[in-house]
Amino acid sequence: AALYFGISYYRLWQQEQRRSLNAQAQAHLAQLRMLQYQLNPHFLFNTLNAITTLVLEQQTHQADRMLSGLSRLLRYALEQNAQQPVSLATELEALQWYLDIEQQRFADDLSVHWQISDAAQQQSIPSLLLQPLVENAVIHGMNQEGKRDIHISADVMADHLELVVSDRGRGMAGVGRQPLPLETLRSRLGVGLSNVLERLDVTYHGHAQIWLQDHQPGLSIGISLPLSVPMVRRPYGH
């Protein structure tokens, strides 16, 4: 009888453990999806407003191009699995859709420079990780002449993937010439950058790093992703 009750109790305990792990995994996935889908509403509003203006001015070709780019970007955001990483090459293609929209809005006042190594393009990252960083540079990276000069680089350094987005704007008060962990400025961050911090923490369990560096003028935001640490796993039973 003792053996029977002992085995029964052990089986019940195992079932409860599986239910608990599955619930934690589902909550984890829901948190990732929530963070992934938080596209900046100001970007959506400004884009739709710009499309409306183009239509009223009968610039239908530009309006159609901007609307097509927005449609591709939204479809990409909705179709991506929050736990399924994408190649950096795929992420950069989606980022280019966003930048095409912004370049139609700002025309010659926005220039983008890319420095992406072949080794970096083959690495995997969470989807829509770079878009908030680039959007932050577009919004805050305007110089005294009203120009926005954005630099995007990616390279593999030892066992890390290094991603850097730089602008030539006014920078941020309290950030010096030495890299400063973004975590120390959490209270001053907007939704986009706070979102990136949360996603990195949830996905890499504290092994990823994100930092700021002031260039006077200009600001860089960098992300260091460990290549040896796996990203979040699928929920139990899938």
Side-chain angles (χ1 to χ4, degrees):
L3 180 61
Y4 170 78
F5 284 114
I7 294 175
S8 298
Y9 176 80
Y10 178 70
R11 287 178 176 174
L12 289 173
W13 179 81
Q14 282 188 317
Q15 292 175 2
E16 185 61 30
Q17 284 291 100
R18 284 195 292 268
R19 282 195 293 265
S20 177
L21 289 173
N22 191 50
Q24 291 177 18
Q26 293 297 334
H28 183 85
L29 178 59
Q31 181 184 10
L32 278 176
R33 285 176 174 169
M34 178 193 69
L35 292 170
Q36 181 185 24
Y37 296 153
Q38 285 181 349
L39 284 175
N40 193 329
H42 295 292
F43 160 67
L44 296 177
F45 173 81
N46 289 335
T47 301
L48 292 173
N49 189 50
I51 292 172
T52 301
T53 301
L54 290 173
V55 171
L56 292 175
E57 294 176 352
Q58 298 185 347
Q59 300 183 41
T60 55
H61 176 72
Q62 285 183 277
D64 180 68
R65 179 181 171 186
M66 187 176 289
L67 189 59
S68 297
L70 180 61
S71 175
R72 287 195 299 266
L73 184 61
L74 291 176
R75 187 181 300 114
Y76 177 78
L78 293 173
E79 290 179 351
Q80 292 302 312
N81 186 324
Q83 286 191 310
Q84 186 66 38
V86 299
S87 68
L88 179 61
T90 299
E91 177 74 358
L92 293 178
E93 182 180 4
L95 185 60
Q96 184 63 66
W97 298 336
Y98 163 75
L99 286 169
D100 283 344
I101 294 171
E102 295 293 46
Q103 285 183 311
Q104 289 180 76
R105 288 179 57 208
F106 297 109
D108 295 335
D109 290 337
L110 172 63
S111 58
V112 182
H113 310 274
W114 305 82
Q115 188 174 356
I116 313 296
S117 72
D118 292 337
Q121 291 194 57
Q122 301 172 13
Q123 305 304 319
S124 296
I125 68 171
S127 62
L128 291 173
L129 185 68
L130 288 176
Q131 190 271 338
L133 273 63
V134 175
E135 184 173 359
N136 186 76
V138 171
I139 294 173
H140 301 290
M142 184 174 64
N143 61 22
Q144 295 180 349
E145 289 76 32
K147 304 290 186 178
R148 293 168 169 84
D149 191 20
I150 311 299
H151 293 252
I152 303 169
S153 66
D155 202 358
V156 174
M157 302 291 186
D159 58 349
H160 283 74
L161 174 63
E162 302 291 335
L163 307 167
V164 181
V165 177
S166 302
D167 61 60
R168 296 295 180 266
R170 292 173 294 179
M172 179 185 291
V175 179
R177 290 180 176 267
Q178 296 299 318
L180 179 68
L182 194 61
E183 177 68 34
T184 61
L185 300 172
R186 181 182 289 271
S187 62
R188 298 170 54 189
L189 302 179
V191 173
L193 294 185
S194 296
N195 186 341
V196 172
L197 273 176
E198 293 291 337
R199 291 188 67 194
L200 290 178
D201 185 55
V202 171
T203 304
Y204 291 95
H205 313 291
H207 293 282
Q209 296 180 342
I210 182 167
W211 48 266
L212 288 175
Q213 184 176 12
D214 194 287
H215 300 294
Q216 299 178 7
L219 187 74
S220 289
I221 304 179
I223 297 179
S224 180
L225 303 179
L227 302 180
S228 57
V229 176
M231 293 187 230
V232 291
R233 299 179 179 178
R234 293 184 179 276
Y236 179 86
H238 289 260

